[in-house]
Amino acid sequence: MIALGSVQLSAYAAVKAPAAPKVTASSTVNTVKLKWKKVSGASGYEVYSYKNKKYKKLKTLTAAKLTVKKLTAGTSYVYAVRAYKKSGSRKRFSKYSRLVKVSTLPKAPTGLYMESSSYASVTLSWKKVSGATGYTVYYSPDSNLSKDVRTFDTKTNTACIKLLKDNSYYYYNVQAYRVYNKKTYYSAKSSKAISFTKEIPGELKTTVNLSKRYQTVNGFGTSSAWNFQRFGSWENAEDILRYLYDPNKGIGLNIYRYNVGAGSKNDETMGNYWNRTEGFVKSVDFDNQKITYDFTADAAAQNCLKIAKKLAGNNLRVTLFHNSPPVELTVNGKAYGTGNGEEKPENMASNLDSANYNLYSQFCVDVADYFVKSGYRVTDVSPMNEPVYSWDGSGQEGCHFTPAQASQLYAVMINKAKNKSYKISMFEAGAAEDGYENGDMSPNNKYLYAIMSNKTNSAYFDTFTTHSYWSDKARKALCRSYIDNTYPGMKIACTEYCQMFNDWSTGVHDLSEQASGKELNGYGITYGVQMARTIYEDLTVLNAVEWNWWLGVSCGYYPDGLVYIDNQGTDHSVIEPTKRLWCLGNFSKFIKEGAVRVDASSAQDKLLSASFLNKDGSLVVVYINTTKDYNLKANICVNGYTKYKAYETSENRDLALVSSGEFENGKQISVPAESVVSVIITK
């Protein structure tokens, strides 16, 4: 017996194991079909499922294929096969085949339903499919969905199909898909659905009345605050500024707000290093009321101004704005105030003693004269920024003034600036407020009242300057009405705005709350379109003569920039434009200094429009579609013009030329959802 067993074991040991099968798989909704080539010398095969690192035998068979049935749709499975060769009652097994990863197909979507249809778009929905990664919607004007078929991919069980042809039938079906192991598994297609797109009513026209005129426009700009004093020394400073001031490659801004620093550069008590500035003051002789200057200071910022003038041309308007008097003149030697911890403006402490009003006025005039002599067209000097606030221990430069102090300082400064080519600007208010709040005069209007009660001031000022923060359309209307009724003929200039997190009027407040990291910069089209809405309201409700954004270039995580750079590292090539930049360009690139706003009436409440007549006779109509779901159209009704060009900023376009050609009265223009379109019409 021992000898016989030895012979059997020896025979088994002599049997060579077969090769491992090479297995492929295909699937349906509920089955997986495995197949492989027959292995030479194999007596049969065992099929296994594989889960949690364990093999479970499903079947022993001699055929080189197996269909696994009754599986769950849209589900992943893993299998392996090994061959065997018999030797007596024993089996000699191959190694397991490679693991075969396969998914069953998702079920075909059901319940395809047209939720809404309006103008040239339709919204579809269907029931969610278990295991689906996403869906592809097929649509066509062909009822058989065989010609002119387009697709729309979505991760959810809804789809808004846009840019459909007006007054047409469209047919739809949808297919689910599942991505597993780098392979896509498609379901069968759903049943068809049908929709009819409605045509925009013909009476919804934009009627331009060239004889009904409003304000004359200075133009559009941004400030050079903070980052310009850094990147102005970079080798690619012109590449950055080209986005802002190049009329061909950029958005053609024509106003440059130069930040005249108070000299806080070395003040480490100011937490934000980037907000500290170089100053021009070298020394002050208080006894003789004289200031000695070093105008080689702030070289990087001055270089930016030089480049901007090169790009924009000699007619670049320059505003010199001061957030704080020079630290050499302030009470605490800082570029921010003490505030005394008070909340009411009338009880806060100013950081500029009245004894230094003469010196501060002289400083503002001397700096302005320096830039004029350097060849710049200085049009405005703004010595006071949002004086209602305390700027107490602020992260940026600032100085509080009471209404009475502001009035007194302006009277001194106006006398200093007599016969100058530039104008002293009135205080820059933080918001466009109405006349009264809770029965009391609003803070801004307390300043207005105090300033204009002085005869020197009232004879000089013809423009009220305000920032656009915390001001909705209704409040702006009240502000405009108050100005007209109280100070007839006074103009309004909007000199600063960004989409602050705590400002509910931005239109992106909720979106900002959901963002984090770089998303907080608000690069997307929603931010751009909502900024354009603010510009529209300021131009058509406040009748603003100019409009300025806050930071032309930013480096942080905040929706305050038009362009973003990497100010922390050494890679200066990082230049990231926002949709805000291009949406502002829909105004600044085409509406020139001296343009007059003319009446443009429209019955479309979803489509904002404003019209401007340039000095050269060209007409600019700017449309803003703030809706996310409607592609709108408008017919421009005006006579006397022969050519047009339309430029669009949208999710997929940056101030791009989208159409041009012959113009005739009633020309139809397309304005996609969430877009700004500028139409330039010429004779």
Side-chain angles (χ1 to χ4, degrees):
M1 292 297 295
I2 295 174
L4 180 59
S6 297
V7 172
Q8 289 175 333
L9 290 172
S10 177
Y12 174 73
V15 176
K16 186 177 180 181
K22 295 181 179 180
V23 185
T24 60
S26 59
S27 61
T28 67
V29 174
N30 300 115
T31 68
V32 169
K33 186 175 183 179
L34 304 169
K35 64 178 181 179
W36 55 92
K37 289 184 178 180
K38 289 188 175 182
V39 177
S40 177
S43 304
Y45 310 91
E46 290 184 354
V47 180
Y48 298 82
S49 63
Y50 183 80
K51 189 176 182 180
N52 298 328
K53 298 183 179 181
K54 293 182 179 180
Y55 293 95
K56 179 181 179 182
K57 188 165 72 172
L58 300 178
K59 188 103 175 177
T60 301
L61 68 167
T62 57
K65 62 181 180 180
L66 175 67
T67 299
V68 185
K69 301 179 180 180
K70 297 182 179 180
L71 300 176
T72 303
T75 305
S76 305
Y77 294 93
V78 183
Y79 299 97
V81 179
R82 61 178 181 171
Y84 66 85
K85 186 173 183 180
K86 280 188 176 181
S87 176
S89 60
R90 294 174 177 267
K91 295 178 180 178
R92 186 80 170 185
F93 286 96
S94 70
K95 293 181 179 180
Y96 288 101
S97 67
R98 281 190 174 184
L99 295 176
V100 181
K101 298 179 180 180
V102 64
S103 174
T104 51
L105 305 183
K107 289 183 178 180
T110 60
L112 181 58
Y113 173 72
M114 184 185 70
E115 288 191 346
S116 64
S117 177
S118 178
Y119 301 155
S121 69
V122 64
T123 300
L124 304 169
S125 68
W126 54 91
K127 292 182 180 179
K128 287 184 178 180
V129 175
S130 178
T133 303
Y135 307 88
T136 300
V137 179
Y138 300 83
Y139 60 103
S140 170
D142 174 31
S143 60
N144 294 318
L145 281 158
S146 59
K147 298 177 183 178
D148 301 321
V149 178
R150 298 182 181 182
T151 61
F152 180 93
D153 272 12
T154 177
K155 299 297 183 183
T156 67
N157 61 320
T158 61
C160 180
I161 310 296
K162 303 178 181 180
L163 301 178
L164 302 177
K165 187 178 179 181
D166 291 343
N167 206 32
S168 299
Y169 285 97
Y170 277 85
Y171 301 85
Y172 312 85
N173 56 30
V174 62
Q175 187 176 32
Y177 63 86
R178 173 181 172 82
V179 179
Y180 174 64
N181 196 33
K182 298 182 180 180
K183 184 177 179 181
T184 304
Y185 299 84
Y186 291 96
S187 75
K189 292 179 180 177
S190 70
S191 58
K192 287 192 295 185
I194 186 172
S195 75
F196 181 75
T197 55
K198 294 179 283 187
E199 187 175 7
I200 298 177
E203 68 268 22
L204 297 185
K205 302 173 183 178
T206 302
T207 302
V208 180
N209 183 352
L210 297 175
S211 63
K212 190 173 183 179
R213 303 188 175 193
Y214 302 96
Q215 77 272 30
T216 300
V217 177
N218 295 334
F220 302 85
T222 188
S223 82
S224 69
W226 305 329
N227 291 288
F228 285 59
Q229 61 188 327
R230 313 300 172 195
F231 78 79
S233 61
W234 294 359
E235 70 283 353
N236 65 336
E238 186 168 330
D239 294 334
I240 299 170
L241 287 165
R242 188 171 287 116
Y243 281 100
L244 302 172
Y245 288 98
D246 191 319
N248 299 311
K249 297 180 180 179
I251 65 170
L253 297 176
N254 74 307
I255 299 176
Y256 191 107
R257 289 177 54 80
Y258 186 97
N259 179 30
V260 180
S264 60
K265 181 179 179 180
N266 298 318
D267 186 355
E268 295 184 358
T269 62
M270 284 183 64
N272 192 338
Y273 170 77
W274 303 109
N275 297 358
R276 305 177 204 164
T277 65
E278 293 185 34
F280 291 128
V281 175
K282 189 174 182 180
S283 63
V284 179
D285 182 347
F286 289 96
D287 292 334
N288 295 303
Q289 294 285 286
K290 290 185 179 180
I291 303 174
T292 304
Y293 297 94
D294 177 11
F295 285 118
T296 65
D298 211 17
Q302 290 197 60
N303 187 48
C304 284
L305 176 58
K306 180 180 178 181
I307 294 171
K309 180 185 174 184
K310 170 187 171 183
L311 295 170
N314 291 335
N315 284 329
L316 177 70
R317 295 176 66 98
V318 179
T319 296
L320 304 173
F321 74 98
H322 305 247
N323 287 312
S324 165
V327 295
E328 292 82 0
L329 302 181
T330 61
V331 174
N332 60 5
K334 304 288 185 181
Y336 55 84
T338 57
N340 289 346
E342 295 288 345
E343 295 183 0
K344 292 184 177 181
E346 58 268 26
N347 295 330
M348 295 176 187
S350 176
N351 201 27
L352 182 70
D353 191 276
S354 59
N356 285 336
Y357 284 1
N358 180 69
L359 280 170
Y360 181 42
S361 298
Q362 189 64 53
F363 171 78
C364 291
V365 169
D366 288 345
V367 171
D369 288 346
Y370 159 73
F371 280 103
V372 169
K373 291 175 184 177
S374 299
Y376 295 103
R377 181 192 173 202
V378 178
T379 58
D380 299 273
V381 175
S382 176
M384 198 177 300
N385 176 66
E386 298 180 352
V388 69
Y389 306 127
S390 71
W391 302 105
D392 188 1
S394 177
Q396 69 179 70
E397 296 180 346
C399 185
H400 170 72
F401 294 92
T402 66
Q405 290 167 337
S407 180
Q408 182 185 353
L409 174 59
Y410 275 127
V412 175
M413 195 167 291
I414 288 169
N415 284 323
K416 287 283 185 183
K418 278 183 179 178
N419 302 319
K420 298 294 183 180
S421 59
Y422 46 82
K423 291 276 289 185
I424 303 299
S425 296
M426 198 183 293
F427 76 102
E428 299 194 30
E433 298 173 330
D434 56 347
Y436 294 88
E437 294 180 350
N438 300 320
D440 188 19
M441 187 179 286
S442 69
N444 283 350
N445 293 299
K446 288 180 180 178
Y447 283 86
L448 269 171
Y449 179 80
I451 292 168
M452 298 300 284
S453 294
N454 181 289
K455 291 183 179 180
T456 299
N457 298 337
S458 62
Y460 183 84
F461 287 120
D462 64 357
T463 304
F464 168 57
T465 51
T466 182
H467 299 168
S468 303
Y469 304 117
W470 303 296
S471 308
D472 59 16
K473 187 176 181 180
R475 199 171 194 185
K476 290 171 185 175
L478 290 170
C479 176
R480 180 72 261 181
S481 177
Y482 177 80
I483 294 291
D484 288 342
N485 292 330
T486 313
Y487 309 102
M490 180 171 283
K491 296 175 284 188
I492 296 179
C494 293
T495 52
E496 182 182 313
Y497 180 70
C498 73
Q499 292 165 322
M500 294 195 296
F501 293 154
N502 60 344
D503 185 352
W504 284 92
S505 66
T506 61
V508 291
H509 181 272
D510 292 342
L511 191 61
S512 298
E513 282 196 328
Q514 299 168 14
S516 62
K518 285 186 69 174
E519 293 177 346
L520 292 169
N521 292 340
Y523 293 97
I525 189 60
T526 301
Y527 286 85
V529 167
Q530 290 300 326
M531 177 204 67
R533 175 189 57 80
T534 298
I535 298 174
Y536 162 81
E537 291 176 355
D538 288 348
L539 293 175
T540 62
V541 179
L542 286 175
N543 288 350
V545 296
E546 68 178 66
W547 198 90
N548 298 268
W549 179 261
W550 174 217
L551 298 182
V553 180
S554 185
C555 66
Y557 290 163
Y558 203 83
D560 58 359
L562 297 174
V563 176
Y564 286 84
I565 58 174
D566 179 6
N567 216 350
Q568 303 295 325
T570 58
D571 184 4
H572 298 165
S573 66
V574 177
I575 309 173
E576 297 177 304
T578 65
K579 288 294 182 180
R580 282 190 299 265
L581 172 82
W582 303 117
C583 286
L584 176 54
N586 277 93
F587 294 88
S588 60
K589 194 177 181 77
F590 310 113
I591 303 168
K592 305 300 183 181
E593 180 178 3
V596 178
R597 186 169 73 85
V598 295
D599 190 65
S601 60
S602 172
Q604 295 191 64
D605 57 358
K606 290 185 173 67
L607 187 62
L608 308 178
S609 61
S611 297
F612 299 83
L613 185 64
N614 283 317
K615 284 184 175 181
D616 64 3
S618 62
L619 177 67
V620 181
V621 183
V622 182
Y623 288 107
I624 306 166
N625 184 352
T626 61
T627 71
K628 296 178 183 292
D629 302 318
Y630 298 102
N631 300 297
L632 304 178
K633 294 185 178 181
N635 299 83
I636 302 177
C637 298
V638 64
N639 291 309
Y641 293 89
T642 61
K643 302 286 184 181
Y644 87 98
K645 291 182 179 180
Y647 295 83
E648 176 187 313
T649 300
S650 58
E651 183 177 2
N652 299 314
R653 292 189 172 100
D654 295 331
L655 207 55
L657 178 64
V658 290
S659 65
S660 62
E662 301 296 323
F663 180 88
E664 58 184 25
N665 187 23
K667 178 68 182 179
Q668 190 174 78
I669 300 296
S670 297
V671 188
E674 280 204 301
S675 73
V676 184
V677 174
S678 298
V679 187
I680 295 83
I681 312 169
T682 55
K683 296 182 178 180

